[in-house]
Amino acid sequence: YPYPFENNSVDEIYCSEFIEHVENLVVFMDELYRIMKPGAKGLITAPYWSHVNTWRDPTHRRGIADRTLFFFDKSWRDSHGKTCYDINSDFFVTYQMVFDDEYLPEYEKLSPEEQRFAMIHYVNVIVGIRFEITKK
């Protein structure tokens, strides 16, 4: 840091299986925010915290959960009382779970309530997560 890009100069970010390795996620996300143009989108994929593959790699520094990147949305931080964090980023964040192919057929047969329970309480159901971030 800093990356060799001008402020507000990048149209699109694609980051695959990387954020679990960075030393300081706040610094990394703030740097993306600095270089992205307003309205620019980013796709970030990561292994999900509750899948065994997340912890097999000794170079992973953290697990990534469904709300991990919500901390980089100022309105979310404000509405959840997380105003003490030294974060400059302000992204709109959405996410989609990536299910382990081995468990997906069984999972799809469950009711929405049972699916949510499985996502929260069972390991190895979700293998990864895909975030879309948009710079506000």
Side-chain angles (χ1 to χ4, degrees), residues 47-123:
Y48 195 63
W49 72 272
S50 66
H51 198 278
V52 68
N53 288 344
T54 300
W55 305 111
R56 284 185 179 148
D57 185 337
T59 67
H60 288 182
R61 295 176 178 264
R62 71 186 47 78
I64 306 297
D66 49 345
R67 301 234 164 82
T68 299
L69 296 191
F70 281 45
F71 280 80
F72 302 99
D73 177 339
K74 185 176 182 330
S75 61
W76 186 91
R77 288 192 309 273
D78 290 348
S79 68
H80 287 81
K82 307 296 183 187
T83 56
C84 63
Y85 291 93
D86 187 20
I87 296 174
N88 296 317
S89 302
D90 191 13
F91 292 108
F92 178 71
V93 179
T94 60
Y95 68 90
Q96 178 183 18
M97 303 297 193
V98 179
F99 293 91
D100 191 312
D101 291 339
E102 181 180 345
Y103 298 102
L104 187 57
E106 181 181 331
Y107 178 84
E108 288 177 327
K109 294 176 188 174
L110 302 175
S111 71
E113 296 81 19
E114 292 170 318
Q115 288 178 354
R116 182 75 184 146
F117 184 89
M119 288 169 45
I120 293 170
H121 297 286
Y122 299 148
V123 297

Side-chain angles (χ1 to χ4, degrees), residues 2-11 13 29-38 40 135:
Y3 289 140
F5 299 98
E6 297 294 323
N7 294 353
N8 302 306
S9 65
V10 175
D11 293 310
I13 297 287
M29 292 299 293
D30 280 351
E31 186 64 2
L32 293 186
Y33 185 74
R34 180 190 70 79
I35 67 174
M36 291 171 73
K37 292 178 179 178
K135 181 176 179 178

